[in-house]
Amino acid sequence: MAAAAVEEIRASSYVGFDTITRQIEHKLLKRGFQFNVIVVGQTGLGKSTLINTIFASHLIDSKGRLEHDEPIRQTTEIQAVSHVIVENGVKLRLNIVDTPGYGDQINNEGCWDPIVKYIKDQHSSYLRKELTAQRDRYIQDTRIHCCLFFINPTGHSLRPIDVIVMKKLSEVVNVVPVIAKADSLTLEERLKFKERIRAELVYHNIKLYPFDNTDDYDEEEAQLNERIRDIIPFAVVGSERNVIIDGKAVRGRKNRWGVINVEDESHCEFVYLRNFLTRTHLQDLIETTALIHYEAFRSKQLLLLKNQAAGNPSPPPAQ
Ligand SMILES: Nc1nc2c(ncn2[C@@H]2O[C@H](COP(=O)(O)OP(=O)(O)O)[C@@H](O)[C@H]2O)c(=O)[nH]1
Ligand SMILES: [Mg+2]
């Protein structure tokens, strides 16, 4: 057959579905992405500071704390603050949910309840919207995709209350533990502390993100997750100020041992955490929330509704 004829057939049999990736990309770019993070931990562990350090330059036009000399607001209730970040034409809607320091009281019984309730409420409102007959094509997503859990840098072990709260949270959300204010520990102390924490997590059977459900990950992703598991808990330092190192202004802190460059990987694991959250695991955190945490909530609720409809009211779900 003449080459021209072959071309003709090719041209006419070309359906064009290979443009689907471009179609999807176009649609996603137009809509933008929604990422919701909650921060949990004692008051004063540097939660607000770290969030502002991660997204620093991007929060300028938003309602976050911008100037480091602005008085530090102590959070007394669960508050969500929204930011819109645009990078190379990609729009990320970021919701940061700040929680009042938990475990600050003498009696900490049930101090995790409001946080767990907040997370479940978001699932519940998503489900309600999903079940509405004329549901929107696109449902505003307020489900929490990641919970940054701040650990006190004692260098010893987790507090019993941390163990309880991490366990409760890990049942409803992707929990990512961080050792706060890591500059107060030496490198050796940090390593020992990390190992200790990992051992405690295993001992208490607390399963944290990334989960090892090998079916869902290809080899490359599985290896990346393995590396992440070796780093977690991220030992981080946050700062809203610049310090001068070698004549250059960098995000950092001065302490009695010297100057810490927050972005220097030999000083702390801030960069690892930022890459993990924004570059390597953003999409997977969102997906895991939908496929694992939300799905578990959804099927439980639907079963409940079904039983109610069949006239066998079951007891309300345990909180
Ligand atoms: N040494 C040290 N201090 C920090 C760090 N991050 C925050 N701080 C300081 O700790 C105090 C409490 O920080 P803040 O972010 O308000 O804590 P939050 O109550 O957990 O939100 C502030 O004075 C911060 O400057 C850190 O990584 N290292
Ligand atoms: Mg705060």
Side-chain angles (χ1 to χ4, degrees), residues 39-53 65 68 72-75 98-101 104 150 153 179-184 236-241 253-255 260 262 268:
V39 291
V40 175
Q42 266 173 285
T43 304
L45 281 184
K47 299 185 292 296
S48 307
T49 307
L50 188 78
I51 288 296
N52 283 338
T53 317
R65 188 166 90 214
H68 49 70
I72 296 174
R73 286 179 273 126
Q74 252 215 11
T75 322
D98 206 348
T99 58
D104 295 344
F150 285 66
I179 298 174
K181 299 187 175 181
D183 52 319
S184 50
V236 292
V237 178
S239 172
E240 290 166 301
R241 292 166 189 268
R253 310 192 74 90
K254 278 199 186 91
N255 67 15
I260 301 228
V262 165
C268 76

mmCIF file of all heavy atoms in Angstrom, residues 39-53 65 68 72-75 98-101 104 150 153 179-184 236-241 253-255 260 262 268, ligand 1:
data_model
loop_
_atom_site.group_PDB
_atom_site.id
_atom_site.type_symbol
_atom_site.label_atom_id
_atom_site.label_comp_id
_atom_site.label_asym_id
_atom_site.label_seq_id
_atom_site.Cartn_x
_atom_site.Cartn_y
_atom_site.Cartn_z
ATOM 1 N N VAL A 39 -3.134 20.786 62.441
ATOM 2 C CA VAL A 39 -1.952 20.674 63.297
ATOM 3 C C VAL A 39 -2.393 20.427 64.731
ATOM 4 O O VAL A 39 -3.309 21.062 65.231
ATOM 5 C CB VAL A 39 -1.031 21.924 63.226
ATOM 6 C CG1 VAL A 39 -0.358 22.017 61.878
ATOM 7 C CG2 VAL A 39 -1.789 23.205 63.504
ATOM 8 N N VAL A 40 -1.737 19.451 65.364
ATOM 9 C CA VAL A 40 -2.135 19.025 66.706
ATOM 10 C C VAL A 40 -0.902 18.946 67.601
ATOM 11 O O VAL A 40 0.150 18.474 67.174
ATOM 12 C CB VAL A 40 -2.811 17.625 66.644
ATOM 13 C CG1 VAL A 40 -3.120 17.101 68.041
ATOM 14 C CG2 VAL A 40 -4.080 17.667 65.803
ATOM 15 N N GLY A 41 -1.036 19.409 68.812
ATOM 16 C CA GLY A 41 0.073 19.293 69.769
ATOM 17 C C GLY A 41 -0.050 20.350 70.853
ATOM 18 O O GLY A 41 -0.848 21.286 70.740
ATOM 19 N N GLN A 42 0.775 20.193 71.880
ATOM 20 C CA GLN A 42 0.741 21.132 72.996
ATOM 21 C C GLN A 42 0.961 22.576 72.545
ATOM 22 O O GLN A 42 1.657 22.802 71.553
ATOM 23 C CB GLN A 42 1.888 20.790 73.939
ATOM 24 C CG GLN A 42 1.540 19.879 75.066
ATOM 25 C CD GLN A 42 2.826 19.519 75.798
ATOM 26 O OE1 GLN A 42 3.614 18.725 75.296
ATOM 27 N NE2 GLN A 42 3.040 20.113 76.948
ATOM 28 N N THR A 43 0.449 23.507 73.317
ATOM 29 C CA THR A 43 0.685 24.927 73.052
ATOM 30 C C THR A 43 2.179 25.223 73.143
ATOM 31 O O THR A 43 2.861 24.671 74.002
ATOM 32 C CB THR A 43 -0.057 25.770 74.117
ATOM 33 O OG1 THR A 43 -1.423 25.399 74.073
ATOM 34 C CG2 THR A 43 0.078 27.251 73.845
ATOM 35 N N GLY A 44 2.663 26.043 72.233
ATOM 36 C CA GLY A 44 4.046 26.501 72.308
ATOM 37 C C GLY A 44 5.056 25.595 71.643
ATOM 38 O O GLY A 44 6.265 25.850 71.716
ATOM 39 N N LEU A 45 4.599 24.538 70.982
ATOM 40 C CA LEU A 45 5.554 23.624 70.326
ATOM 41 C C LEU A 45 5.970 24.112 68.934
ATOM 42 O O LEU A 45 6.758 23.448 68.263
ATOM 43 C CB LEU A 45 4.969 22.209 70.225
ATOM 44 C CG LEU A 45 5.011 21.362 71.497
ATOM 45 C CD1 LEU A 45 4.497 19.962 71.226
ATOM 46 C CD2 LEU A 45 6.446 21.284 72.042
ATOM 47 N N GLY A 46 5.436 25.248 68.531
ATOM 48 C CA GLY A 46 5.876 25.805 67.245
ATOM 49 C C GLY A 46 5.001 25.392 66.069
ATOM 50 O O GLY A 46 5.465 25.377 64.928
ATOM 51 N N LYS A 47 3.730 25.085 66.322
ATOM 52 C CA LYS A 47 2.834 24.647 65.243
ATOM 53 C C LYS A 47 2.601 25.774 64.231
ATOM 54 O O LYS A 47 2.789 25.586 63.033
ATOM 55 C CB LYS A 47 1.484 24.181 65.821
ATOM 56 C CG LYS A 47 1.606 23.003 66.775
ATOM 57 C CD LYS A 47 0.255 22.500 67.227
ATOM 58 C CE LYS A 47 -0.511 23.478 68.125
ATOM 59 N NZ LYS A 47 0.158 23.737 69.410
ATOM 60 N N SER A 48 2.195 26.929 64.753
ATOM 61 C CA SER A 48 1.900 28.040 63.844
ATOM 62 C C SER A 48 3.165 28.461 63.105
ATOM 63 O O SER A 48 3.147 28.747 61.909
ATOM 64 C CB SER A 48 1.340 29.225 64.629
ATOM 65 O OG SER A 48 0.243 28.804 65.414
ATOM 66 N N THR A 49 4.271 28.474 63.828
ATOM 67 C CA THR A 49 5.546 28.879 63.213
ATOM 68 C C THR A 49 5.919 27.941 62.069
ATOM 69 O O THR A 49 6.311 28.388 60.992
ATOM 70 C CB THR A 49 6.669 28.850 64.274
ATOM 71 O OG1 THR A 49 6.255 29.634 65.392
ATOM 72 C CG2 THR A 49 7.973 29.385 63.722
ATOM 73 N N LEU A 50 5.779 26.636 62.284
ATOM 74 C CA LEU A 50 6.190 25.683 61.251
ATOM 75 C C LEU A 50 5.333 25.831 59.987
ATOM 76 O O LEU A 50 5.859 25.840 58.869
ATOM 77 C CB LEU A 50 6.096 24.242 61.768
ATOM 78 C CG LEU A 50 6.705 23.252 60.772
ATOM 79 C CD1 LEU A 50 8.229 23.267 60.848
ATOM 80 C CD2 LEU A 50 6.189 21.847 60.976
ATOM 81 N N ILE A 51 4.040 25.965 60.184
ATOM 82 C CA ILE A 51 3.149 26.140 59.027
ATOM 83 C C ILE A 51 3.557 27.391 58.255
ATOM 84 O O ILE A 51 3.648 27.384 57.028
ATOM 85 C CB ILE A 51 1.680 26.257 59.508
ATOM 86 C CG1 ILE A 51 1.185 24.901 59.994
ATOM 87 C CG2 ILE A 51 0.782 26.799 58.410
ATOM 88 C CD1 ILE A 51 1.129 23.829 58.923
ATOM 89 N N ASN A 52 3.822 28.450 58.999
ATOM 90 C CA ASN A 52 4.233 29.681 58.321
ATOM 91 C C ASN A 52 5.591 29.537 57.659
ATOM 92 O O ASN A 52 5.888 30.210 56.688
ATOM 93 C CB ASN A 52 4.240 30.859 59.305
ATOM 94 C CG ASN A 52 2.823 31.331 59.576
ATOM 95 O OD1 ASN A 52 1.920 31.085 58.777
ATOM 96 N ND2 ASN A 52 2.625 31.988 60.696
ATOM 97 N N THR A 53 6.424 28.654 58.178
ATOM 98 C CA THR A 53 7.734 28.447 57.555
ATOM 99 C C THR A 53 7.585 27.638 56.268
ATOM 100 O O THR A 53 8.222 27.929 55.266
ATOM 101 C CB THR A 53 8.709 27.723 58.510
ATOM 102 O OG1 THR A 53 8.582 28.276 59.812
ATOM 103 C CG2 THR A 53 10.144 27.865 58.044
ATOM 104 N N ARG A 65 -0.492 34.436 59.817
ATOM 105 C CA ARG A 65 0.351 35.387 60.546
ATOM 106 C C ARG A 65 1.510 35.728 59.642
ATOM 107 O O ARG A 65 2.258 34.865 59.222
ATOM 108 C CB ARG A 65 0.856 34.757 61.840
ATOM 109 C CG ARG A 65 1.565 35.769 62.703
ATOM 110 C CD ARG A 65 1.757 35.246 64.090
ATOM 111 N NE ARG A 65 3.016 34.540 64.208
ATOM 112 C CZ ARG A 65 3.205 33.497 64.986
ATOM 113 N NH1 ARG A 65 2.213 33.013 65.676
ATOM 114 N NH2 ARG A 65 4.378 32.930 65.068
ATOM 115 N N HIS A 68 6.502 38.544 61.778
ATOM 116 C CA HIS A 68 6.871 37.795 62.976
ATOM 117 C C HIS A 68 6.688 38.616 64.234
ATOM 118 O O HIS A 68 6.649 38.092 65.328
ATOM 119 C CB HIS A 68 8.297 37.262 62.856
ATOM 120 C CG HIS A 68 9.283 38.280 62.421
ATOM 121 N ND1 HIS A 68 9.648 39.305 63.233
ATOM 122 C CD2 HIS A 68 9.939 38.438 61.246
ATOM 123 C CE1 HIS A 68 10.528 40.055 62.580
ATOM 124 N NE2 HIS A 68 10.712 39.565 61.377
ATOM 125 N N ILE A 72 1.580 36.812 68.894
ATOM 126 C CA ILE A 72 1.214 35.420 68.648
ATOM 127 C C ILE A 72 -0.180 35.188 69.201
ATOM 128 O O ILE A 72 -0.447 35.446 70.365
ATOM 129 C CB ILE A 72 2.218 34.470 69.330
ATOM 130 C CG1 ILE A 72 3.590 34.657 68.691
ATOM 131 C CG2 ILE A 72 1.755 33.030 69.239
ATOM 132 C CD1 ILE A 72 4.697 33.889 69.364
ATOM 133 N N ARG A 73 -1.065 34.755 68.302
ATOM 134 C CA ARG A 73 -2.431 34.473 68.757
ATOM 135 C C ARG A 73 -2.425 33.102 69.387
ATOM 136 O O ARG A 73 -1.976 32.146 68.770
ATOM 137 C CB ARG A 73 -3.392 34.454 67.565
ATOM 138 C CG ARG A 73 -3.696 35.806 67.023
ATOM 139 C CD ARG A 73 -4.635 35.666 65.842
ATOM 140 N NE ARG A 73 -3.877 35.451 64.616
ATOM 141 C CZ ARG A 73 -4.079 34.440 63.793
ATOM 142 N NH1 ARG A 73 -4.985 33.551 64.043
ATOM 143 N NH2 ARG A 73 -3.353 34.310 62.689
ATOM 144 N N GLN A 74 -2.888 33.021 70.609
ATOM 145 C CA GLN A 74 -3.027 31.681 71.178
ATOM 146 C C GLN A 74 -4.355 31.125 70.723
ATOM 147 O O GLN A 74 -5.383 31.785 70.838
ATOM 148 C CB GLN A 74 -2.962 31.760 72.695
ATOM 149 C CG GLN A 74 -1.658 31.193 73.193
ATOM 150 C CD GLN A 74 -1.857 30.489 74.495
ATOM 151 O OE1 GLN A 74 -2.963 30.251 74.922
ATOM 152 N NE2 GLN A 74 -0.757 30.151 75.145
ATOM 153 N N THR A 75 -4.307 29.949 70.175
ATOM 154 C CA THR A 75 -5.518 29.378 69.622
ATOM 155 C C THR A 75 -6.364 28.816 70.744
ATOM 156 O O THR A 75 -5.887 28.040 71.553
ATOM 157 C CB THR A 75 -5.126 28.240 68.671
ATOM 158 O OG1 THR A 75 -3.957 28.649 67.994
ATOM 159 C CG2 THR A 75 -6.207 27.938 67.690
ATOM 160 N N ASP A 98 -5.982 24.917 62.773
ATOM 161 C CA ASP A 98 -5.180 25.021 63.985
ATOM 162 C C ASP A 98 -6.045 24.558 65.155
ATOM 163 O O ASP A 98 -7.229 24.863 65.207
ATOM 164 C CB ASP A 98 -4.762 26.487 64.174
ATOM 165 C CG ASP A 98 -3.481 26.599 64.968
ATOM 166 O OD1 ASP A 98 -3.051 25.579 65.547
ATOM 167 O OD2 ASP A 98 -2.917 27.703 65.022
ATOM 168 N N THR A 99 -5.454 23.798 66.055
ATOM 169 C CA THR A 99 -6.237 23.299 67.192
ATOM 170 C C THR A 99 -5.676 23.881 68.475
ATOM 171 O O THR A 99 -4.483 24.153 68.566
ATOM 172 C CB THR A 99 -6.149 21.766 67.287
ATOM 173 O OG1 THR A 99 -4.770 21.395 67.422
ATOM 174 C CG2 THR A 99 -6.718 21.112 66.055
ATOM 175 N N PRO A 100 -6.521 24.075 69.474
ATOM 176 C CA PRO A 100 -5.990 24.549 70.744
ATOM 177 C C PRO A 100 -5.056 23.489 71.289
ATOM 178 O O PRO A 100 -5.279 22.305 71.067
ATOM 179 C CB PRO A 100 -7.230 24.690 71.630
ATOM 180 C CG PRO A 100 -8.367 24.133 70.878
ATOM 181 C CD PRO A 100 -7.942 23.778 69.492
ATOM 182 N N GLY A 101 -4.011 23.902 71.964
ATOM 183 C CA GLY A 101 -3.062 22.939 72.521
ATOM 184 C C GLY A 101 -3.830 21.903 73.309
ATOM 185 O O GLY A 101 -4.630 22.240 74.158
ATOM 186 N N ASP A 104 -2.844 20.182 77.663
ATOM 187 C CA ASP A 104 -2.260 21.232 78.498
ATOM 188 C C ASP A 104 -2.846 21.204 79.907
ATOM 189 O O ASP A 104 -2.341 21.827 80.827
ATOM 190 C CB ASP A 104 -2.564 22.621 77.903
ATOM 191 C CG ASP A 104 -1.891 22.825 76.546
ATOM 192 O OD1 ASP A 104 -0.979 22.041 76.225
ATOM 193 O OD2 ASP A 104 -2.268 23.763 75.839
ATOM 194 N N PHE A 150 2.579 17.149 66.610
ATOM 195 C CA PHE A 150 3.805 17.723 67.172
ATOM 196 C C PHE A 150 4.200 17.034 68.476
ATOM 197 O O PHE A 150 3.434 17.007 69.438
ATOM 198 C CB PHE A 150 3.627 19.223 67.406
ATOM 199 C CG PHE A 150 3.685 20.008 66.137
ATOM 200 C CD1 PHE A 150 2.694 19.861 65.171
ATOM 201 C CD2 PHE A 150 4.746 20.873 65.881
ATOM 202 C CE1 PHE A 150 2.751 20.559 63.977
ATOM 203 C CE2 PHE A 150 4.809 21.582 64.690
ATOM 204 C CZ PHE A 150 3.813 21.424 63.740
ATOM 205 N N PRO A 153 10.047 17.832 72.265
ATOM 206 C CA PRO A 153 11.412 17.295 72.118
ATOM 207 C C PRO A 153 12.068 16.976 73.457
ATOM 208 O O PRO A 153 13.115 17.520 73.795
ATOM 209 C CB PRO A 153 12.143 18.440 71.409
ATOM 210 C CG PRO A 153 11.452 19.674 71.874
ATOM 211 C CD PRO A 153 10.003 19.298 72.097
ATOM 212 N N ILE A 179 8.956 15.842 65.324
ATOM 213 C CA ILE A 179 9.582 16.235 66.584
ATOM 214 C C ILE A 179 9.754 17.741 66.505
ATOM 215 O O ILE A 179 10.487 18.250 65.650
ATOM 216 C CB ILE A 179 10.948 15.550 66.773
ATOM 217 C CG1 ILE A 179 10.754 14.035 66.835
ATOM 218 C CG2 ILE A 179 11.649 16.068 68.026
ATOM 219 C CD1 ILE A 179 12.052 13.243 66.886
ATOM 220 N N ALA A 180 9.025 18.442 67.360
ATOM 221 C CA ALA A 180 9.017 19.898 67.315
ATOM 222 C C ALA A 180 10.330 20.454 67.858
ATOM 223 O O ALA A 180 11.033 19.777 68.614
ATOM 224 C CB ALA A 180 7.848 20.424 68.137
ATOM 225 N N LYS A 181 10.672 21.656 67.460
ATOM 226 C CA LYS A 181 11.830 22.375 68.009
ATOM 227 C C LYS A 181 13.054 21.479 68.144
ATOM 228 O O LYS A 181 13.674 21.387 69.210
ATOM 229 C CB LYS A 181 11.479 22.958 69.376
ATOM 230 C CG LYS A 181 10.332 23.965 69.328
ATOM 231 C CD LYS A 181 10.149 24.633 70.665
ATOM 232 C CE LYS A 181 9.089 25.719 70.598
ATOM 233 N NZ LYS A 181 8.883 26.407 71.856
ATOM 234 N N ALA A 182 13.371 20.786 67.055
ATOM 235 C CA ALA A 182 14.442 19.802 67.090
ATOM 236 C C ALA A 182 15.795 20.442 67.427
ATOM 237 O O ALA A 182 16.744 19.741 67.780
ATOM 238 C CB ALA A 182 14.526 19.062 65.758
ATOM 239 N N ASP A 183 15.878 21.775 67.325
ATOM 240 C CA ASP A 183 17.146 22.441 67.660
ATOM 241 C C ASP A 183 17.462 22.326 69.145
ATOM 242 O O ASP A 183 18.582 22.610 69.562
ATOM 243 C CB ASP A 183 17.123 23.917 67.234
ATOM 244 C CG ASP A 183 15.899 24.664 67.747
ATOM 245 O OD1 ASP A 183 14.796 24.081 67.708
ATOM 246 O OD2 ASP A 183 16.052 25.812 68.195
ATOM 247 N N SER A 184 16.488 21.877 69.952
ATOM 248 C CA SER A 184 16.808 21.737 71.370
ATOM 249 C C SER A 184 17.434 20.372 71.673
ATOM 250 O O SER A 184 17.771 20.086 72.815
ATOM 251 C CB SER A 184 15.548 21.960 72.217
ATOM 252 O OG SER A 184 14.501 21.168 71.727
ATOM 253 N N VAL A 236 12.058 18.667 63.081
ATOM 254 C CA VAL A 236 11.981 19.946 62.367
ATOM 255 C C VAL A 236 12.276 21.159 63.235
ATOM 256 O O VAL A 236 12.140 21.126 64.457
ATOM 257 C CB VAL A 236 10.584 20.132 61.728
ATOM 258 C CG1 VAL A 236 10.370 19.131 60.613
ATOM 259 C CG2 VAL A 236 9.486 20.022 62.773
ATOM 260 N N VAL A 237 12.676 22.207 62.570
ATOM 261 C CA VAL A 237 12.857 23.506 63.203
ATOM 262 C C VAL A 237 12.092 24.507 62.347
ATOM 263 O O VAL A 237 12.160 24.440 61.117
ATOM 264 C CB VAL A 237 14.353 23.901 63.248
ATOM 265 C CG1 VAL A 237 14.533 25.276 63.876
ATOM 266 C CG2 VAL A 237 15.160 22.860 64.019
ATOM 267 N N GLY A 238 11.351 25.364 62.991
ATOM 268 C CA GLY A 238 10.627 26.383 62.242
ATOM 269 C C GLY A 238 11.129 27.756 62.605
ATOM 270 O O GLY A 238 11.703 27.945 63.682
ATOM 271 N N SER A 239 10.954 28.703 61.722
ATOM 272 C CA SER A 239 11.329 30.077 62.046
ATOM 273 C C SER A 239 10.634 31.037 61.109
ATOM 274 O O SER A 239 10.486 30.754 59.922
ATOM 275 C CB SER A 239 12.837 30.273 61.923
ATOM 276 O OG SER A 239 13.130 31.647 62.062
ATOM 277 N N GLU A 240 10.222 32.154 61.658
ATOM 278 C CA GLU A 240 9.606 33.166 60.806
ATOM 279 C C GLU A 240 10.572 34.311 60.564
ATOM 280 O O GLU A 240 10.209 35.331 60.009
ATOM 281 C CB GLU A 240 8.313 33.666 61.457
ATOM 282 C CG GLU A 240 7.237 32.602 61.433
ATOM 283 C CD GLU A 240 6.066 32.908 62.344
ATOM 284 O OE1 GLU A 240 6.279 33.061 63.557
ATOM 285 O OE2 GLU A 240 4.962 33.003 61.834
ATOM 286 N N ARG A 241 11.785 34.144 61.016
ATOM 287 C CA ARG A 241 12.772 35.207 60.842
ATOM 288 C C ARG A 241 13.914 34.739 59.969
ATOM 289 O O ARG A 241 14.184 33.550 59.861
ATOM 290 C CB ARG A 241 13.383 35.600 62.200
ATOM 291 C CG ARG A 241 12.436 36.280 63.116
ATOM 292 C CD ARG A 241 13.031 36.303 64.523
ATOM 293 N NE ARG A 241 12.036 36.780 65.463
ATOM 294 C CZ ARG A 241 11.905 38.053 65.807
ATOM 295 N NH1 ARG A 241 12.715 38.967 65.318
ATOM 296 N NH2 ARG A 241 10.968 38.415 66.655
ATOM 297 N N ARG A 253 17.330 30.203 62.978
ATOM 298 C CA ARG A 253 17.251 30.576 64.387
ATOM 299 C C ARG A 253 18.653 30.609 64.953
ATOM 300 O O ARG A 253 19.514 29.830 64.552
ATOM 301 C CB ARG A 253 16.480 29.548 65.216
ATOM 302 C CG ARG A 253 15.162 29.105 64.720
ATOM 303 C CD ARG A 253 14.437 28.335 65.813
ATOM 304 N NE ARG A 253 13.954 29.243 66.830
ATOM 305 C CZ ARG A 253 12.760 29.815 66.786
ATOM 306 N NH1 ARG A 253 11.945 29.586 65.802
ATOM 307 N NH2 ARG A 253 12.386 30.640 67.741
ATOM 308 N N LYS A 254 18.825 31.503 65.913
ATOM 309 C CA LYS A 254 20.093 31.507 66.650
ATOM 310 C C LYS A 254 19.808 30.854 67.978
ATOM 311 O O LYS A 254 18.781 31.115 68.587
ATOM 312 C CB LYS A 254 20.526 32.951 66.919
ATOM 313 C CG LYS A 254 21.215 33.611 65.765
ATOM 314 C CD LYS A 254 22.003 34.828 66.272
ATOM 315 C CE LYS A 254 22.581 35.597 65.115
ATOM 316 N NZ LYS A 254 21.745 36.648 64.589
ATOM 317 N N ASN A 255 20.680 29.962 68.407
ATOM 318 C CA ASN A 255 20.535 29.486 69.779
ATOM 319 C C ASN A 255 21.918 29.416 70.397
ATOM 320 O O ASN A 255 22.896 29.849 69.794
ATOM 321 C CB ASN A 255 19.766 28.163 69.842
ATOM 322 C CG ASN A 255 20.532 27.018 69.200
ATOM 323 O OD1 ASN A 255 21.730 27.124 68.962
ATOM 324 N ND2 ASN A 255 19.840 25.930 68.931
ATOM 325 N N ILE A 260 21.087 28.073 63.212
ATOM 326 C CA ILE A 260 20.465 26.951 62.501
ATOM 327 C C ILE A 260 19.820 27.467 61.231
ATOM 328 O O ILE A 260 19.057 28.430 61.265
ATOM 329 C CB ILE A 260 19.365 26.318 63.361
ATOM 330 C CG1 ILE A 260 19.986 25.841 64.652
ATOM 331 C CG2 ILE A 260 18.632 25.235 62.582
ATOM 332 C CD1 ILE A 260 19.632 24.483 65.053
ATOM 333 N N VAL A 262 17.193 26.621 58.754
ATOM 334 C CA VAL A 262 16.046 25.723 58.700
ATOM 335 C C VAL A 262 16.064 24.859 57.434
ATOM 336 O O VAL A 262 15.669 23.699 57.446
ATOM 337 C CB VAL A 262 14.749 26.576 58.767
ATOM 338 C CG1 VAL A 262 13.539 25.780 58.350
ATOM 339 C CG2 VAL A 262 14.572 27.144 60.164
ATOM 340 N N CYS A 268 18.422 20.143 60.047
ATOM 341 C CA CYS A 268 17.154 19.543 60.473
ATOM 342 C C CYS A 268 16.415 19.001 59.266
ATOM 343 O O CYS A 268 16.873 19.129 58.132
ATOM 344 C CB CYS A 268 16.275 20.546 61.217
ATOM 345 S SG CYS A 268 15.464 21.739 60.148
HETATM 346 N N1 LIG B 1 13.812 26.830 69.518
HETATM 347 C C1 LIG B 1 12.757 26.831 68.728
HETATM 348 N N2 LIG B 1 11.742 27.663 68.993
HETATM 349 C C2 LIG B 1 10.658 27.659 68.168
HETATM 350 C C3 LIG B 1 10.598 26.782 67.050
HETATM 351 N N3 LIG B 1 9.405 26.998 66.420
HETATM 352 C C4 LIG B 1 8.771 27.950 67.114
HETATM 353 N N4 LIG B 1 9.513 28.379 68.179
HETATM 354 C C5 LIG B 1 9.148 29.408 69.165
HETATM 355 O O1 LIG B 1 8.220 28.843 70.073
HETATM 356 C C6 LIG B 1 7.214 29.797 70.441
HETATM 357 C C7 LIG B 1 5.811 29.237 70.189
HETATM 358 O O2 LIG B 1 5.604 29.066 68.801
HETATM 359 P P1 LIG B 1 4.149 28.933 68.154
HETATM 360 O O3 LIG B 1 4.365 28.668 66.702
HETATM 361 O O4 LIG B 1 3.260 30.068 68.489
HETATM 362 O O5 LIG B 1 3.610 27.613 68.889
HETATM 363 P P2 LIG B 1 2.147 26.944 68.870
HETATM 364 O O6 LIG B 1 1.472 27.331 70.135
HETATM 365 O O7 LIG B 1 2.392 25.483 68.820
HETATM 366 O O8 LIG B 1 1.444 27.443 67.635
HETATM 367 C C8 LIG B 1 7.542 31.056 69.645
HETATM 368 O O9 LIG B 1 8.268 31.937 70.466
HETATM 369 C C9 LIG B 1 8.416 30.569 68.504
HETATM 370 O O10 LIG B 1 9.331 31.531 68.033
HETATM 371 C C10 LIG B 1 11.704 25.912 66.797
HETATM 372 O O11 LIG B 1 11.727 25.109 65.858
HETATM 373 N N5 LIG B 1 12.752 25.975 67.671
#
